[in-house]
Amino acid sequence: MQTLMILGATGSIGRSTLDVVARHPDRYRVFALGAQRRDDELYEQCLRYAPRYAALADEPAARRLAERIADAGLDTEVLGGPSALAALAAHEEVDTVMAAIVGAAGLAPTIAAARAGKRILLANKESLVMAGEVFLRACREGEATVLPIDSEHNAVFQCLPSNGRGGRGCPGVRRIVLTASGGPFRGATYEQMGDATPEQACAHPKWSMGRKISVDSATMMNKGLELIEAFHLFGVAGSQLDVLVHPQSIVHSLVEYEDGSVLAQMGNPDMRTPIAQALAHPERIDSGVAPLDLVSIGQLEFEAPDAQRFPCLRLAREALAAGGAAPCILNAANEIAVSAFLERTIRFTDIAAVTEAVLNSIGARPAGATIEEVFAIDAEARSAAHDRLGRCPA
Ligand code: NAD
Ligand code: MG
């Protein structure tokens, strides 16, 4: 029986995780659920999964949840505040932590899980992008295991020798190719993207996801963040990482070996597959995903990404090549720009412009050596991004 804590339980990945877990009550026990402020949804999850603990980062929301839990006579203990999420992620009774908070807010509780030596199912790519070295050091020191949830990285993990345990630097591997659906604006002109609304940007053709990652997919910043994520997870050189646009989202990524062999992992585009793979690894369990029907799909298409129309991909590559604090600055500026776009204060094409301006204005810096230093760089980049927002053309 694995004891599970879910960070980001009310989100898209959190809900898919609970869906898989509910199919296997003999294998998984939901020990703790954590989220930001949606107390109604967390209450429903408490009713259904009866966790020992539930935590909301937002204290007033946590108080509302505690009242309802008490009125319903449930045994769940409710905690409030961001530190409660980190404490539960490190709780001695927890074996496995699903790290599925969106954005930089996921870093502190995910690091807490790493230091406590948990088995970490990592969906929160932003924590690796902003603090790759600090996070991996915490994993080494705490003897934590990381299993990638991002579908591309989960695919690569499955295609590597001994399921990702082929060694840092992946001997024998020539290239790792991350596939990208191309997002909702794959066929749009740059001018059309300038007029895109949040609704259009969030209408992903293949994946149903949270709003932030949906916008990242539309700008292709998501693929850029994933290049940086792959760099840290697999220990290969940036030059060994490539992106291939594959609109059907059936091939989730590929590993090319020195001898010319190319291994790919395929499946329907449904996050329950990588979630089930990581939950059960090295075993296999039912995820609820329909079998892949290649006859009805008929054709798989591939094309090169267009860095002109999707400048975020170039920015992420440049940040990866520059190293140091650049990925952390990129991530912070992008988060601010994406929320401004979702609030309709800037245009879709301003997301890349704001991020590039912040990267240029802060300049080269060494990476934060501690989590505090990482947060200081993150805060500086956020403030520079806020300054830039005011200068965007309406
Ligand atoms: P989402 O917006 O649907 O859910 C986000 C979750 O994070 C919610 O439960 C929310 O309560 C929680 N959260 C947000 N801010 C918080 C804070 N300050 N403190 C505590 N909790 C907070 O997002 P999602 O689509 O589920 O994505 C989650 C993560 O997984 C992201 O890092 C994303 O990049 C990654 N990911 C998602 C998908 C997908 O298909 N959705 C695929 C690959 C990777
Ligand atoms: Mg992905």
CSV table of all heavy atoms in Angstrom, one decimal, residues 4-31:
chain,number,residue,atom,x,y,z
A,4,LEU,N,-0.1,8.4,-0.2
A,4,LEU,CA,0.0,9.5,-1.2
A,4,LEU,C,-0.4,10.8,-0.7
A,4,LEU,O,-1.4,11.0,0.0
A,4,LEU,CB,-0.9,9.1,-2.3
A,4,LEU,CG,-0.8,9.7,-3.7
A,4,LEU,CD1,0.6,9.2,-4.3
A,4,LEU,CD2,-1.9,9.2,-4.6
A,5,MET,N,0.4,11.8,-1.0
A,5,MET,CA,0.1,13.2,-0.8
A,5,MET,C,0.0,13.9,-2.2
A,5,MET,O,0.9,13.7,-3.0
A,5,MET,CB,1.1,13.9,0.0
A,5,MET,CG,1.3,15.4,-0.2
A,5,MET,SD,0.4,16.4,0.9
A,5,MET,CE,0.0,17.8,0.1
A,6,ILE,N,-1.1,14.6,-2.5
A,6,ILE,CA,-1.2,15.3,-3.8
A,6,ILE,C,-1.1,16.8,-3.5
A,6,ILE,O,-2.0,17.4,-2.9
A,6,ILE,CB,-2.5,14.9,-4.5
A,6,ILE,CG1,-2.6,13.4,-4.6
A,6,ILE,CG2,-2.6,15.6,-5.8
A,6,ILE,CD1,-3.8,12.9,-5.3
A,7,LEU,N,-0.1,17.4,-4.1
A,7,LEU,CA,0.0,18.9,-4.1
A,7,LEU,C,-0.6,19.4,-5.4
A,7,LEU,O,-0.2,19.0,-6.5
A,7,LEU,CB,1.5,19.3,-4.1
A,7,LEU,CG,2.4,18.9,-2.9
A,7,LEU,CD1,3.9,19.0,-3.2
A,7,LEU,CD2,2.0,19.9,-1.8
A,8,GLY,N,-1.7,20.2,-5.2
A,8,GLY,CA,-2.4,20.6,-6.4
A,8,GLY,C,-3.5,19.7,-6.7
A,8,GLY,O,-3.8,19.4,-7.9
A,9,ALA,N,-4.2,19.2,-5.7
A,9,ALA,CA,-5.2,18.1,-5.9
A,9,ALA,C,-6.4,18.6,-6.7
A,9,ALA,O,-7.0,17.8,-7.4
A,9,ALA,CB,-5.7,17.7,-4.5
A,10,THR,N,-6.7,19.9,-6.7
A,10,THR,CA,-7.9,20.4,-7.3
A,10,THR,C,-7.7,20.7,-8.8
A,10,THR,O,-8.6,21.0,-9.6
A,10,THR,CB,-8.5,21.6,-6.7
A,10,THR,OG1,-7.4,22.6,-6.6
A,10,THR,CG2,-8.9,21.3,-5.2
A,11,GLY,N,-6.4,20.6,-9.2
A,11,GLY,CA,-6.1,21.0,-10.6
A,11,GLY,C,-6.3,19.8,-11.6
A,11,GLY,O,-6.8,18.7,-11.2
A,12,SER,N,-5.9,20.0,-12.8
A,12,SER,CA,-6.1,19.1,-13.9
A,12,SER,C,-5.3,17.8,-13.6
A,12,SER,O,-5.9,16.7,-13.6
A,12,SER,CB,-5.7,19.7,-15.2
A,12,SER,OG,-5.5,18.8,-16.2
A,13,ILE,N,-4.1,17.9,-13.2
A,13,ILE,CA,-3.2,16.7,-12.9
A,13,ILE,C,-3.7,16.1,-11.6
A,13,ILE,O,-3.8,14.9,-11.5
A,13,ILE,CB,-1.8,17.1,-12.8
A,13,ILE,CG1,-1.2,17.6,-14.2
A,13,ILE,CG2,-0.9,16.0,-12.2
A,13,ILE,CD1,-1.0,16.5,-15.2
A,14,GLY,N,-4.0,16.9,-10.6
A,14,GLY,CA,-4.5,16.4,-9.3
A,14,GLY,C,-5.8,15.5,-9.5
A,14,GLY,O,-5.8,14.4,-9.0
A,15,ARG,N,-6.7,16.0,-10.3
A,15,ARG,CA,-8.0,15.3,-10.5
A,15,ARG,C,-7.7,14.0,-11.3
A,15,ARG,O,-8.3,13.0,-11.0
A,15,ARG,CB,-9.0,16.2,-11.2
A,15,ARG,CG,-9.6,17.2,-10.2
A,15,ARG,CD,-10.7,18.1,-10.9
A,15,ARG,NE,-10.0,19.2,-11.5
A,15,ARG,CZ,-10.0,19.5,-12.8
A,15,ARG,NH1,-10.7,18.8,-13.7
A,15,ARG,NH2,-9.4,20.6,-13.3
A,16,SER,N,-6.8,14.1,-12.3
A,16,SER,CA,-6.5,12.8,-13.1
A,16,SER,C,-5.8,11.8,-12.1
A,16,SER,O,-6.0,10.6,-12.3
A,16,SER,CB,-5.6,13.2,-14.2
A,16,SER,OG,-6.2,13.9,-15.2
A,17,THR,N,-5.0,12.3,-11.2
A,17,THR,CA,-4.3,11.4,-10.3
A,17,THR,C,-5.3,10.7,-9.4
A,17,THR,O,-5.3,9.4,-9.2
A,17,THR,CB,-3.3,12.2,-9.4
A,17,THR,OG1,-2.4,12.9,-10.3
A,17,THR,CG2,-2.5,11.3,-8.5
A,18,LEU,N,-6.3,11.4,-8.9
A,18,LEU,CA,-7.3,10.8,-8.1
A,18,LEU,C,-8.2,9.8,-8.9
A,18,LEU,O,-8.6,8.8,-8.3
A,18,LEU,CB,-8.2,11.9,-7.4
A,18,LEU,CG,-7.5,12.7,-6.3
A,18,LEU,CD1,-8.3,13.9,-5.9
A,18,LEU,CD2,-7.3,11.8,-5.1
A,19,ASP,N,-8.4,10.1,-10.1
A,19,ASP,CA,-9.1,9.2,-11.0
A,19,ASP,C,-8.4,7.9,-11.1
A,19,ASP,O,-9.0,6.8,-11.0
A,19,ASP,CB,-9.3,9.8,-12.4
A,19,ASP,CG,-10.1,9.0,-13.3
A,19,ASP,OD1,-9.6,8.0,-13.9
A,19,ASP,OD2,-11.3,9.2,-13.5
A,20,VAL,N,-7.1,7.9,-11.3
A,20,VAL,CA,-6.3,6.7,-11.4
A,20,VAL,C,-6.3,5.9,-10.1
A,20,VAL,O,-6.5,4.7,-10.0
A,20,VAL,CB,-4.8,6.9,-11.9
A,20,VAL,CG1,-4.0,5.7,-11.9
A,20,VAL,CG2,-4.8,7.6,-13.3
A,21,VAL,N,-6.0,6.7,-9.0
A,21,VAL,CA,-5.9,6.1,-7.6
A,21,VAL,C,-7.2,5.4,-7.3
A,21,VAL,O,-7.2,4.3,-6.7
A,21,VAL,CB,-5.6,7.2,-6.6
A,21,VAL,CG1,-5.8,6.8,-5.2
A,21,VAL,CG2,-4.1,7.6,-6.8
A,22,ALA,N,-8.4,6.0,-7.6
A,22,ALA,CA,-9.7,5.5,-7.3
A,22,ALA,C,-9.9,4.1,-7.9
A,22,ALA,O,-10.7,3.3,-7.4
A,22,ALA,CB,-10.8,6.4,-7.7
A,23,ARG,N,-9.2,3.8,-9.0
A,23,ARG,CA,-9.3,2.5,-9.6
A,23,ARG,C,-8.5,1.4,-8.9
A,23,ARG,O,-8.7,0.2,-9.2
A,23,ARG,CB,-8.8,2.6,-11.1
A,23,ARG,CG,-9.6,3.4,-12.0
A,23,ARG,CD,-8.9,3.8,-13.3
A,23,ARG,NE,-9.6,4.9,-13.9
A,23,ARG,CZ,-10.7,4.8,-14.7
A,23,ARG,NH1,-11.1,3.6,-15.0
A,23,ARG,NH2,-11.3,5.8,-15.1
A,24,HIS,N,-7.7,1.8,-7.9
A,24,HIS,CA,-6.8,0.8,-7.3
A,24,HIS,C,-6.8,1.1,-5.8
A,24,HIS,O,-5.7,1.3,-5.2
A,24,HIS,CB,-5.4,1.0,-7.8
A,24,HIS,CG,-5.3,0.8,-9.3
A,24,HIS,ND1,-5.4,-0.4,-9.9
A,24,HIS,CD2,-5.3,1.7,-10.3
A,24,HIS,CE1,-5.4,-0.3,-11.2
A,24,HIS,NE2,-5.4,1.0,-11.5
A,25,PRO,N,-7.9,0.9,-5.1
A,25,PRO,CA,-8.0,1.2,-3.7
A,25,PRO,C,-7.1,0.2,-2.9
A,25,PRO,O,-6.7,0.5,-1.7
A,25,PRO,CB,-9.5,1.0,-3.3
A,25,PRO,CG,-10.1,0.3,-4.4
A,25,PRO,CD,-9.2,0.6,-5.7
A,26,ASP,N,-6.8,-0.9,-3.5
A,26,ASP,CA,-5.9,-1.9,-2.8
A,26,ASP,C,-4.4,-1.5,-2.8
A,26,ASP,O,-3.6,-2.0,-2.1
A,26,ASP,CB,-6.0,-3.3,-3.5
A,26,ASP,CG,-5.8,-3.1,-5.0
A,26,ASP,OD1,-6.3,-2.1,-5.6
A,26,ASP,OD2,-5.2,-4.0,-5.6
A,27,ARG,N,-4.1,-0.5,-3.7
A,27,ARG,CA,-2.7,-0.2,-3.8
A,27,ARG,C,-2.3,1.2,-3.2
A,27,ARG,O,-1.2,1.4,-2.8
A,27,ARG,CB,-2.3,-0.1,-5.3
A,27,ARG,CG,-2.4,-1.4,-6.1
A,27,ARG,CD,-1.9,-1.2,-7.5
A,27,ARG,NE,-0.5,-1.0,-7.5
A,27,ARG,CZ,0.4,-1.8,-8.2
A,27,ARG,NH1,0.0,-2.9,-8.8
A,27,ARG,NH2,1.7,-1.6,-8.1
A,28,TYR,N,-3.3,2.1,-3.3
A,28,TYR,CA,-3.0,3.5,-2.9
A,28,TYR,C,-4.0,4.0,-1.8
A,28,TYR,O,-5.2,3.8,-1.9
A,28,TYR,CB,-3.1,4.4,-4.1
A,28,TYR,CG,-2.2,4.0,-5.2
A,28,TYR,CD1,-2.8,3.4,-6.4
A,28,TYR,CD2,-0.8,4.0,-5.1
A,28,TYR,CE1,-2.0,2.9,-7.4
A,28,TYR,CE2,0.0,3.5,-6.1
A,28,TYR,CZ,-0.6,2.9,-7.3
A,28,TYR,OH,0.2,2.4,-8.2
A,29,ARG,N,-3.4,4.7,-0.8
A,29,ARG,CA,-4.2,5.4,0.2
A,29,ARG,C,-3.9,6.9,0.1
A,29,ARG,O,-2.8,7.3,0.1
A,29,ARG,CB,-3.7,4.8,1.5
A,29,ARG,CG,-4.2,5.6,2.7
A,29,ARG,CD,-3.8,4.8,4.0
A,29,ARG,NE,-3.9,5.8,5.1
A,29,ARG,CZ,-2.9,6.0,6.0
A,29,ARG,NH1,-1.7,5.5,5.8
A,29,ARG,NH2,-3.1,6.9,6.9
A,30,VAL,N,-5.0,7.7,-0.1
A,30,VAL,CA,-4.9,9.1,-0.2
A,30,VAL,C,-4.7,9.6,1.3
A,30,VAL,O,-5.6,9.7,2.0
A,30,VAL,CB,-6.1,9.7,-0.8
A,30,VAL,CG1,-5.9,11.3,-0.9
A,30,VAL,CG2,-6.3,9.2,-2.2
A,31,PHE,N,-3.5,10.1,1.6
A,31,PHE,CA,-3.2,10.5,3.0
A,31,PHE,C,-3.4,12.0,3.1
A,31,PHE,O,-4.0,12.4,4.1
A,31,PHE,CB,-1.7,10.2,3.3
A,31,PHE,CG,-1.3,10.6,4.6
A,31,PHE,CD1,-1.7,9.8,5.8
A,31,PHE,CD2,-0.5,11.7,4.8
A,31,PHE,CE1,-1.2,10.2,7.0
A,31,PHE,CE2,-0.1,12.1,6.1
A,31,PHE,CZ,-0.5,11.3,7.2
